[in-house]
Amino acid sequence: MTSIYLDNQSTSPIDEQVLEMMRSVGFGNPHSSEHSVGWRASALVETAREEVASLIGADADEIFFTSGATEANNLAILGIRRFALQGKDNVARSNIEHKSVLAACDALADEYGFRVSGIEADKQGFILPRAVSAAIDERTALISVALVNNEIGTIQDIGAIRNACGRAILHCDAAQAPEAMAMKGVADLCDMLSLSAHKMRGPMGIGALYISRSIQRNIAPLMYGGGQQNGIRPGTLPVHLCVGMGAASRLAENNARERAHAALLRDEFINELRKIGLPFSLNGPSDFTRRHPGNANLHLLNVDADQLIGLLQPSLAISTGSACTSGTIEPSHVLMGIGLTPDQASSSIRISISARNKRDEVIAASHLIAAAIGRLQC
């Protein structure tokens, strides 16, 4: 049986155009500077770097390839550890950040003595400028706020948040953003920004961190080696993956039509559930213009989300708001961070639709969910 795939915020299927670009790469070490094979590989990587930079309105020398957004988040956050020597030993992050941001902030505190301040989100997942101002002081080195939330799809007003940061560095986890919003110019609104190729129709295993040229000399690397990428992120770069991320960035730069189509499919899915008469409430923004166009995070009354998803296998691929931590399942910190109880969070599911989905798939998915809930409640 073929599954209906509605978990695109977890990972998006790689685009055929991206695959074709990766197939054409050939062989070569981009850091071999003494022969033409290395020169060609290096040129391919630099073209990919320019394509990623173009997506967000940055310069190519501000883009550092990483293994993914988790590494990019860690490099951004742990990379500011030298600021403690200047009396800047506080970092602030929202309470609904991705686990990689939360864990990196905890490591900054545990291993380098930083203080970590929390920034509370409102009930729809928005980080208000006054909440940012309340969480920072003259010792704050960095603020980290995701541009688009990975569970409830909230699109933040990063311009307003930037204005509230004062002289502190602003880092944005933007892994979810390219499929959710126009990205041109976002580099002007933050100092560092993390991206992931496989969230935007590119390959797994590659991401990037934008670091404004003005702060690069202050960012400490996580690894040490041959000095590649200005020493900030050394190591031999995977040419095929870099080219794939560049191609995916080029697609994301011109995806306004796809985003609009995803939003139409998402709305059809929600409307079909209402026609069926399924009781649910929507977690996250009520204003869909400020929500990831493919995101629908639903609280289902008196339904165990993990049991529901298990019952839906292998017909439908969706996800819960639960995270597996140290071998135990715990309610989503994002959902509890916007005011849900543990029971409500454990009764919530995330549907993430893309423009590559079809209308009959989202209609069928709504009926599959309703039927499975009916069996659970018998």
Side-chain angles (χ1 to χ4, degrees):
M1 178 184 291
T2 301
S3 293
I4 297 172
Y5 186 76
L6 300 184
D7 197 22
N8 289 279
Q9 283 182 267
S10 172
T11 191
S12 56
I14 191 167
D15 191 274
E16 187 59 40
Q17 295 179 62
V18 174
L19 275 176
E20 190 56 39
M21 288 297 297
M22 294 173 68
R23 291 189 189 106
S24 70
V25 167
F27 172 79
N29 185 325
H31 312 295
S32 295
S33 59
E34 297 175 333
H35 51 69
S36 60
V37 175
W39 300 340
R40 180 180 180 274
S42 177
L44 289 169
V45 168
E46 293 314 306
T47 296
R49 200 186 305 275
E50 291 168 1
E51 290 169 330
V52 175
S54 178
L55 172 65
I56 62 173
D59 292 328
D61 65 351
E62 297 176 304
I63 301 299
F64 297 82
F65 286 114
T66 66
S67 62
T70 289
E71 185 192 338
N73 288 338
N74 275 265
L75 178 55
I77 293 165
L78 292 168
I80 61 120
R81 60 191 182 272
R82 292 173 178 165
F83 280 77
L85 299 174
Q86 306 168 24
K88 300 283 189 178
D89 59 359
N90 181 42
V91 60
R93 85 295 184 270
S94 89
N95 62 331
I96 59 170
E97 293 302 301
H98 188 272
K99 286 282 189 179
S100 61
V101 169
L102 300 180
C105 289
D106 289 345
L108 200 60
D110 294 342
E111 298 179 28
Y112 299 100
F114 275 68
R115 293 181 296 114
V116 178
S117 300
I119 306 171
E120 297 295 316
D122 72 10
K123 291 185 177 181
Q124 297 190 52
F126 291 107
I127 307 300
L128 302 179
R130 65 174 178 270
V132 175
S133 298
I136 64 177
D137 56 31
E138 69 280 355
R139 298 182 71 95
T140 302
L142 176 137
I143 296 100
S144 186
V145 175
L147 187 51
V148 179
N149 186 267
N150 64 304
E151 290 193 30
I152 55 176
T154 308
I155 300 174
Q156 304 294 345
D157 184 348
I158 289 297
I161 292 170
R162 165 77 273 175
N163 292 336
C165 288
R167 299 178 65 181
I169 291 171
L170 176 61
H171 164 249
C172 292
D173 176 358
Q176 298 288 339
E179 293 285 280
M181 58 181 282
M183 295 290 286
K184 203 70 170 181
V186 296
D188 295 332
L189 302 176
C190 57
D191 302 292
M192 294 191 283
L193 180 143
S194 303
L195 292 167
S196 174
H198 78 100
K199 305 290 189 182
M200 56 175 177
R201 295 181 279 167
M204 289 184 177
I206 184 76
L209 179 66
Y210 155 75
I211 309 176
S212 171
R213 194 180 299 108
S214 65
I215 67 166
Q216 286 180 18
R217 69 183 185 278
N218 296 317
I219 302 302
L222 297 180
M223 304 183 297
Y224 298 86
Q228 297 93 339
Q229 298 197 95
N230 204 27
I232 290 177
R233 202 284 188 176
T236 302
L237 287 172
V239 182
H240 293 78
L241 296 180
C242 292
V243 167
M245 185 167 190
S249 297
R250 197 166 61 248
L251 292 176
E253 194 170 352
N254 300 287
N255 68 356
R257 183 177 298 178
E258 287 84 355
R259 296 197 311 270
H261 185 56
L264 285 174
L265 292 174
R266 186 267 317 278
D267 294 350
E268 285 218 53
F269 170 80
I270 292 172
N271 289 335
E272 191 67 20
L273 287 179
R274 288 175 175 150
K275 288 179 187 176
I276 294 169
L278 185 71
F280 68 90
S281 57
L282 198 65
N283 301 321
S286 56
D287 179 358
F288 280 10
T289 66
R290 300 188 66 186
R291 186 186 195 108
H292 188 300
N295 174 274
N297 193 299
L298 309 177
H299 169 227
L300 304 166
L301 190 63
N302 298 322
V303 172
D304 184 292
D306 290 312
Q307 289 184 8
L308 171 64
I309 290 177
L311 195 59
L312 286 166
Q313 300 315 302
S315 302
L316 178 61
I318 57 175
S319 63
T320 69
S322 298
C324 185
T325 305
S326 300
T328 61
I329 298 298
E330 60 183 22
S332 163
H333 71 279
V334 171
L335 296 181
M336 291 194 295
I338 63 170
L340 272 66
T341 67
D343 284 346
Q344 289 171 328
S346 297
S347 298
S348 295
I349 58 174
R350 182 188 68 180
I351 291 88
S352 43
I353 296 165
S354 84
R356 276 73 64 193
N357 287 120
K358 297 179 174 61
R359 181 180 181 275
D360 60 355
E361 289 180 318
V362 301
I363 298 299
S366 65
H367 287 268
L368 285 168
I369 291 169
I373 291 173
R375 292 198 296 275
L376 282 175
Q377 295 178 338
C378 284

